[in-house]
Amino acid sequence: MPEGNPARPEGKEGKQMLERMNQSHRPLRDFGFAFIDWKDNMDILDVGCGGGATIQEMLHLSPGSRICGLDYAEESLAVAAETNRAWMDKRVFLQLGDVGDLPYEAASFDLVTAVETIYFWPSIQQAFAQAARVLRHGGSLLVLCEGSDPIHNSWPAQEGMTIYSPQQIEALMRGAGLCAVQIHRGEAETVCVIGKKR
């Protein structure tokens, strides 16, 4: 877990942290993205898009895709825009917003991704319900976490941060109406959980 405030990066230190996370989360993204059936021209939403490296990688995994990135931290959106400057307002569209009230129409996306972000969602059930709402039938919600053991972990305690087990994430997905949930475990506490929209 990086130093600073990963929930809401601000200022120069926040920018530096976002740039570090763009690099340090690469192994996590490589691990989780291997379980997605990538196709051309997908409509994708990256919730809690941070510094934009997840978006940058998905642009190549899904040629012709349209990728929306949402974050509630203005510094995150600024770094994400710089990371993806060649594709801004062409294939990449960033928006300030709240995961508990996604500003998108129902059934708008083939894939919703949440990389190292669910720890900070204040209303987790509502957030999962919103992610399910904006998915098309047959679409997937992918959650990637480096921390997945709520009891035995070495992360420093931070107010407003909750670590969820894979079983808790699965229950949240099923509670939001998703099915065919898959749990993939990586090194240490790394976990990828994927649910499908009926």
Side-chain angles (χ1 to χ4, degrees), residues 18-145:
L18 288 161
E19 290 170 346
R20 287 195 305 271
M21 289 193 294
N22 273 350
Q23 296 303 315
S24 66
H25 293 165
R26 181 182 297 276
L28 177 65
R29 295 189 300 266
D30 289 346
F31 163 69
F33 286 172
F35 301 109
I36 294 296
D37 181 19
W38 297 98
K39 295 180 172 61
D40 293 355
N41 304 309
M42 296 175 74
D43 290 313
I44 302 170
L45 170 63
D46 185 32
V47 180
C49 64
T54 297
I55 292 171
Q56 185 180 55
E57 291 179 13
M58 293 192 295
L59 287 168
H60 299 288
L61 291 166
S62 175
S65 56
R66 175 184 69 98
I67 305 180
C68 295
L70 180 127
D71 207 292
Y72 71 166
E74 292 184 4
E75 190 64 52
S76 293
L77 295 179
V79 174
E82 177 63 21
T83 300
N84 296 285
R85 61 186 177 276
W87 295 106
M88 285 300 300
D89 300 319
K90 299 171 185 173
R91 290 177 57 197
V92 175
F93 304 87
L94 303 179
Q95 188 162 346
L96 192 70
D98 178 4
V99 66
D101 186 20
L102 293 176
Y104 306 102
E105 296 290 330
S108 295
F109 298 100
D110 304 300
L111 174 65
V112 175
T113 59
V115 179
E116 281 291 86
T117 182
I118 67 167
Y119 318 113
F120 309 111
W121 293 358
S123 178
I124 193 79
Q125 294 91 349
Q126 183 177 341
F128 272 76
Q130 282 287 298
R133 179 184 66 81
V134 301
L135 276 174
R136 294 177 177 137
H137 293 294
S140 297
L141 169 62
L142 174 139
V143 172
L144 283 174
C145 298

